[in-house]
Amino acid sequence: MYETPELDSDAFVRTHEIRVYEGDEAWEGMRAAGRLVGQALDMITPFVVPGVTTGELDDRIREFTLDHGALPACLGYKGYEKTICTSINHVVCHGIPGDRVLKDGDIVNIDHTVIVDGWHGDSSRMYAVGEINARARKLIDVTYDSLEAGLAMIKPGNTFGDIGYAIQQVVEANRMSVVRDFCGHGIGRLFHDSPNVLHYGRRGEGATLKPGMFFTVEPMVNLGKPHVKVLSDGWTAVTRDKSLSAQCEHSVGVTETGVELFSASSAGLFRPKFG
Ligand code: MF3
Ligand code: CO
Ligand code: CO
């Protein structure tokens, strides 16, 4: 007798609803994906030095990812032709790796997403190239502080608005601005799932967090105004006022009591330390 097979692909299309994952398999899948993206971003750290091209960093991370039995999620995604995004100085996000040579004083965000057994792990970090100035160090510190403040709000019963509010408070208290045009996202079997995770907002607004929700938090912070424009390559987003921009991103899951960071660095390299 013929039975209609269950189509996995039908089960995972983006709708307005926020998915709640159940069972150990989902958690273990996200841990494996998050661990690998963290390891890839750890691995690249000693190579982010003056003189290297962003294309060489892309090659290294692609090879590392494939060597570990995973797929680079960005490669081929909506026509994107690289593995990672490399966003330097006033580039807000989605900078495309290529011939650009990193130079002393640059700050660069490397954003990478892996697929391990169908589960996505998405994370990005800032890297300082050689010696960076005090303004750049302050920007990076505030960006990481804002992410930490947002993550600290994650527990069942709080809302997505609580996360956005906490991020925005930290950024604006330091007279910097939160980018509005890009946001975090649900993640899991899909790369970009519901909801849009805003990095600004009001306390108590938005959907309520429930155990088993998986999503990213990835604030982009500008030293100047929040406005961005996308260059003619269709990807590279830059600050309109050419001010410096920084970002960092974790993939997380809501637990019964709080939050689990899937993409933490076991080497302690997620947040750059200066001096
Ligand atoms: N990793 C990015 C994110 O945080 C997405 C990059 S867009 C891509 O969602 F086209 F490069 F994949
Ligand atoms: Co990302
Ligand atoms: Co993301």
Side-chain angles (χ1 to χ4, degrees):
M1 191 183 94
Y2 180 78
E3 280 184 313
T4 309
E6 270 191 41
L7 292 178
D8 203 38
S9 56
D10 277 354
F12 294 102
V13 286
R14 183 171 179 156
T15 69
H16 65 278
E17 261 174 274
I18 305 175
R19 214 176 290 280
V20 171
Y21 287 93
E22 276 164 28
D24 292 347
E25 194 194 328
W27 285 90
E28 287 302 333
M30 290 305 285
R31 285 176 187 131
R35 188 181 313 120
L36 187 66
V37 74
Q39 286 168 346
L41 294 174
D42 288 349
M43 175 280 297
I44 207 68
T45 306
F47 299 104
V48 187
V49 291
V52 77
T53 68
T54 51
E56 290 168 53
L57 301 176
D58 188 74
D59 288 340
R60 282 192 186 278
I61 292 190
R62 187 184 58 256
E63 291 307 316
F64 181 92
T65 302
L66 294 171
D67 284 350
H68 286 76
L71 294 172
C74 295
L75 191 58
Y77 181 81
K78 295 188 177 175
Y80 193 73
E81 292 179 343
K82 298 290 172 179
T83 289
I84 57 173
C85 298
T86 47
S87 301
I88 306 168
N89 298 337
H90 73 296
V91 178
V92 172
C93 63
H94 302 164
I96 305 171
D99 296 335
R100 167 72 149 86
V101 177
L102 294 182
K103 57 182 200 301
D104 190 65
D106 284 338
I107 61 169
V108 58
N109 174 277
I110 299 181
D111 191 345
H112 183 38
T113 308
V114 300
I115 311 173
V116 177
D117 295 333
W119 298 97
H120 291 76
D122 183 6
S123 184
S124 83
R125 302 179 192 168
M126 295 305 297
Y127 299 81
V129 183
E131 291 291 315
I132 64 171
N133 68 31
R135 298 271 294 157
R137 291 199 299 267
K138 181 71 182 170
L139 171 65
I140 292 172
D141 276 334
V142 169
T143 303
Y144 277 79
D145 286 349
S146 78
L147 175 62
E148 284 177 18
L151 296 176
M153 299 310 296
I154 300 177
K155 65 174 182 187
N158 278 0
T159 70
F160 282 96
D162 294 330
I163 300 172
Y165 175 83
I167 292 168
Q168 186 179 8
Q169 285 298 303
V170 169
V171 172
E172 292 180 357
N174 286 281
R175 299 175 311 282
M176 298 178 193
S177 62
V178 174
V179 170
R180 310 293 205 269
D181 295 9
F182 297 96
C183 54
H185 47 91
I187 193 169
R189 300 301 287 190
L190 295 182
F191 187 176
H192 291 120
D193 206 349
S194 288
N196 289 333
V197 179
L198 307 183
H199 303 115
Y200 58 93
R202 295 172 199 268
R203 276 188 278 201
E205 289 193 349
T208 300
L209 303 176
K210 293 189 179 71
M213 287 181 175
F214 300 160
F215 54 89
T216 72
V217 186
E218 47 181 303
M220 284 142 275
V221 177
N222 298 347
L223 272 184
K225 297 239 152 58
H227 311 106
V228 312
K229 67 174 180 192
V230 176
L231 300 186
S232 59
D233 60 25
W235 287 102
T236 311
V238 299
T239 54
R240 283 195 171 268
D241 62 9
K242 304 271 169 59
S243 70
L244 218 52
S245 186
Q247 179 179 23
C248 51
E249 173 178 25
H250 267 318
S251 293
V252 310
V254 182
T255 67
E256 296 294 331
T257 54
V259 63
E260 178 169 331
L261 307 184
F262 296 129
S263 48
S265 166
S266 55
L269 296 173
F270 182 67
R271 182 171 181 152
K273 289 159 195 77
F274 307 115

